[in-house]
Amino acid sequence: MGHLAVSDAQQLVLQSLTRLGSETVGLEQALGRVLAQDIRANRDLPPFDVSAMDGFALRSADVASAPAQLAIIEDIKAGDLPTQTVAAGQCARIMTGAPMPPGADAVIRVEDTQEVSANRVQINKSVKPKNDVRPLGENMRDGDVVLTVGTEITPGVIGVLATVKAAQFLVFRRPRVAILSTGNELEGMDEPVDPHKIPNSNSYALMAQMQALGIAPVLLGIARDDPLELEQYLRRGLEYDVLLVSGGTSVGVHDYVRPTIEKLGVQMKFWRVAIRPGHPLAFGMLPPTKVPQAYLEDRQGGEQQATPQCAACGTLVFGLPGNPVSSMVCVEEFVVPALRRMMGNPRLYRRTVTARVAHEVKFRPGRTEFIRVQLTRDEHGYIASATGTQSSGVLLSMARADGLMIVPAASTGLAAGAQVTVQLLDGTAFQDETGFGE
Ligand code: AMP
Ligand code: MG
């Protein structure tokens, strides 16, 4: 098998999985989850025509040739119900959100009026019918579907859920993810510094990539490059919905990951992708028939079965390259979209922006390249500049990156100023400046 194109590999991964089942959560715990049910309005909002302003409710015909004086017949505050009908020559003082009194068809804001006495007001402007009136049901009508399955729960969505009194609702389950690092050279976080060893950063960087999706992964630790030890660790990892293995997927004589997971029943879908950094990326699935029954029931379950025939509820296994940058880039491109689909989110891919590249980029064609860049902005838009050395071992290039600049596989290089696409990474939702110059 040759090197698979990035998009083909992404599709192969996505075709191998389905959404997970659902579970009930309360409103207070729901931020970041994805709705597994439609949500309907439970009343009309507003429940009647209400004023959009502090001012006076009046009959627009009375003020057609303003200025005009009107008699104030009552005060209507938010939460009050009007008690009188507004007749010709009359008005009611009204507050924002208060119901319109019968007879009145418009509101004039207080700034366009002048009080003459305690019960008389001069209206300085004419208004059209419905002026500053929020009609019944402007927000939502009773029974309307206001949020649909697949909606990611943001603070705004929480507000809508509270509006319709949805204290509990169904969301898609989050996958259980295990992370295993492999390599004789690795030094654990709690081990003393040994100059001959390589600190295990991958377990933690991958952990954080999972946490950024709202997933709490389990760190299985470090397996040595020994087939028996590796097998023990991998067996444990296959109990999860998704297993991420870092290192040992290459073709070195001590790269035992692939033969060992195959021995355990994992069916490999691919093990080479035309991507830089990261080409020794392997992907396979332990078929549902080989997943212990207890785990499988749990996977398929849920109060509302999202996928009645969960044909693809096997364990997904990603064999990630050991190089720290490569493993993170492969997680971004292949694992993140997979996990988001499992969690029912239709938005699978990182948001992209168009930028100009600040400098020439030389490059060997044949693989899609993901270059770590920082983004700045001028009056023409974004400018992308590489975050220093792009060696796949230099993790600081990832730590400093706002995004991944994509150089298509067919490209032979980019001149300074060329237009490029950049995927935004975590940490880019905010910026130093307001961006609108005020
Ligand atoms: P491998 O894919 O196992 O051939 O590893 C490729 C490179 O990544 C080697 O230089 C490893 O030392 C390094 N590496 C592998 N696993 C880790 C890890 N968990 N943390 C940091 N570096 C790693
Ligand atoms: Mg290794």
Side-chain angles (χ1 to χ4, degrees), residues 17-19 288 300 305-313:
L17 55 91
T18 52
R19 287 193 310 212
Q300 290 173 325
Q305 198 129 327
T307 42
Q309 296 285 303
C310 192
C313 282

Side-chain angles (χ1 to χ4, degrees), residues 17 60 174 219 224-225 234 251 279 286 292 341 343 366 372 407:
L17 55 91
S60 53
R174 284 169 164 157
L219 301 193
R224 303 294 145 190
D225 293 319
L234 290 170
V251 289
H279 82 112
L286 183 71
R341 171 163 285 179
M343 294 188 286
R372 282 75 71 203
V407 189

Side-chain angles (χ1 to χ4, degrees), residues 91-418:
C91 67
R93 195 191 313 273
I94 195 163
M95 300 299 137
T96 305
M100 290 290 287
D105 68 349
V107 168
I108 187 151
R109 53 185 196 149
V110 70
E111 291 88 336
D112 295 329
T113 68
Q114 225 169 314
E115 288 208 31
V116 179
S117 68
N119 54 9
R120 264 194 107 62
V121 62
Q122 173 167 308
I123 310 298
N124 296 327
K125 278 169 81 176
S126 62
V127 289
K128 296 209 174 76
K130 300 187 178 7
N131 185 67
D132 283 332
V133 176
R134 288 190 189 135
L136 181 157
E138 183 188 54
N139 270 288
M140 52 184 78
R141 298 302 293 246
D142 191 9
D144 279 356
V145 172
V146 288
L147 299 167
T148 52
V149 171
T151 300
E152 183 173 329
I153 301 177
T154 60
V157 171
I158 291 278
V160 172
L161 289 163
T163 301
V164 303
K165 296 286 189 73
Q168 299 210 312
F169 37 83
L170 290 173
V171 297
F172 291 107
R173 202 165 66 64
R174 284 169 164 157
R176 281 180 278 268
V177 178
I179 296 172
L180 175 65
S181 281
T182 71
N184 289 343
E185 75 282 26
L186 297 181
E187 177 184 285
M189 269 299 281
D190 46 3
E191 290 180 287
V193 173
D194 173 343
H196 303 293
K197 291 204 158 181
I198 301 287
N200 169 23
S201 57
N202 288 0
S203 288
Y204 300 93
L206 301 180
M207 168 196 78
Q209 286 180 300
M210 297 301 104
Q211 289 171 335
L213 298 174
I215 294 167
V218 171
L219 301 193
L220 298 178
I222 301 169
R224 303 294 145 190
D225 293 319
D226 165 77
L228 285 178
E229 179 171 333
L230 195 57
E231 185 177 325
Q232 283 181 345
Y233 276 94
L234 290 170
R235 265 187 209 285
R236 277 192 57 208
L238 290 174
E239 294 171 7
Y240 293 79
D241 297 325
V242 178
L243 168 61
L244 307 182
V245 185
S246 140
T249 55
S250 207
V251 289
V253 282
H254 300 292
D255 291 329
Y256 298 113
V257 169
R258 193 180 136 202
T260 311
I261 51 177
E262 281 184 314
K263 181 179 158 196
L264 293 174
V266 172
Q267 293 170 358
M268 299 311 295
K269 306 267 183 187
F270 60 78
W271 51 88
R272 286 286 178 276
V273 179
I275 182 173
R276 184 179 295 119
H279 82 112
L281 167 72
F283 170 69
M285 191 173 72
L286 183 71
T289 48
K290 301 219 169 151
V291 174
Q293 195 57 31
Y295 304 125
L296 200 60
E297 276 165 17
D298 208 27
R299 260 172 227 191
Q300 290 173 325
E303 290 143 71
Q304 173 197 294
Q305 198 129 327
T307 42
Q309 296 285 303
C310 192
C313 282
T315 297
L316 303 183
V317 183
F318 292 88
L320 302 165
N323 273 311
V325 176
S326 307
S327 65
M328 290 191 75
V329 168
C330 286
V331 167
E332 283 301 333
E333 303 312 318
F334 302 99
V335 183
V336 168
L339 295 173
R340 289 178 68 85
R341 171 163 285 179
M342 291 172 92
M343 294 188 286
N345 200 322
R347 290 185 172 178
L348 302 183
Y349 304 105
R350 290 277 181 185
R351 185 171 293 280
T352 54
V353 296
T354 299
R356 286 166 293 135
V357 59
H359 45 74
E360 185 189 14
V361 176
K362 289 213 182 88
F363 145 120
R364 289 168 285 164
R367 297 190 201 160
T368 308
E369 185 148 347
F370 292 83
I371 295 175
R372 282 75 71 203
V373 294
Q374 264 169 348
L375 290 175
T376 52
R377 210 158 55 165
D378 67 8
E379 68 274 24
H380 305 296
Y382 287 114
I383 304 161
S385 355
T387 57
T389 169
Q390 295 290 304
S391 153
S392 58
V394 179
L395 198 45
L396 274 171
S397 72
M398 195 70 189
R400 295 189 176 119
D402 294 320
L404 298 174
M405 178 171 93
I406 299 151
V407 189
S411 173
T412 50
L414 298 166

